[in-house]
Amino acid sequence: MLFKTCYTSQIVAPISALVTDEYSVEDSHDRYHLGSAAFGSLIITIVFAFRVFVNFIHNRLKNKTGSIVEFFLKCFGCCLWCFEKFISFLNSNAYVEIAITGYGFCHSARRAFKIVVGNALRLAAINSVGSFTLFLGKLAPLSVIYSVRIKIDSELLKQFRKKTSTTIRCFNKGDGQESASDFDSNFVMALN
């Protein structure tokens, strides 16, 4: 069977795939990009496992070696942590590149790295503005909730003050006094 190809934004797809139902977009992502996701996850897992191994060695040798060896193991563990975070960042950008272009993991990771390095200042500015926007997005509901809580608390305290003054007046009436004593009236005035 001959396939004629249709070129759409750097992706080559068979025309029969566009016409028939036997080949859909979901199938192409499942078929071709689950391996890319698995490969990216494998790289992160290998780096994480190596970091756990170094931490295990560090804990085993903690009191048995000198401070110089411990210092170098801590530095190496810190470098591995930084490398793991860098690989995670690169993987997330590679996944975005895979979704946009449809290339495999290695090619997309290379393109993502070039884009990140070429636009480092722009990326830093966008990330800082995005982080600030997310902070405001978290702060706004909290401020609304806090203001509603203050309003509810003030209403509850008003009700408590009324109930307390009523209780004191009823107590004084129960003793046979027609009016509250000076102490009770000062107390009631302080509550209102």
Side-chain angles (χ1 to χ4, degrees), residues 89-99 103-105 108-110 112:
F89 178 73
L90 186 63
N91 272 351
S92 65
N93 286 311
Y95 294 150
V96 170
E97 194 67 26
I98 288 169
Y103 293 132
F105 179 80
S108 296
R110 188 178 326 114

Side-chain angles (χ1 to χ4, degrees), residues 9 16 37 72 118 155 174 185:
S9 70
S16 65
F72 281 120
E155 291 298 320
S185 64

Side-chain angles (χ1 to χ4, degrees), residues 35-48 83-99 104-106 108-110 112-113 116:
S36 297
F39 187 65
S41 299
L42 176 69
I43 292 171
I44 292 174
T45 304
I46 289 170
V47 172
F48 178 75
F83 184 66
E84 180 184 353
K85 294 301 176 186
F86 171 74
I87 293 295
S88 297
F89 178 73
L90 186 63
N91 272 351
S92 65
N93 286 311
Y95 294 150
V96 170
E97 194 67 26
I98 288 169
F105 179 80
C106 293
S108 296
R110 188 178 326 114
F113 182 74
V116 167

Side-chain angles (χ1 to χ4, degrees), residues 14 20 28-29 47 75 79-80 100 108 121 124 180 182-184 188:
T20 63
S28 69
H29 288 298
V47 172
C75 288
C79 290
L80 282 175
I100 291 172
S108 296
L121 292 176
D182 291 334
F183 172 77
D184 291 339
V188 171

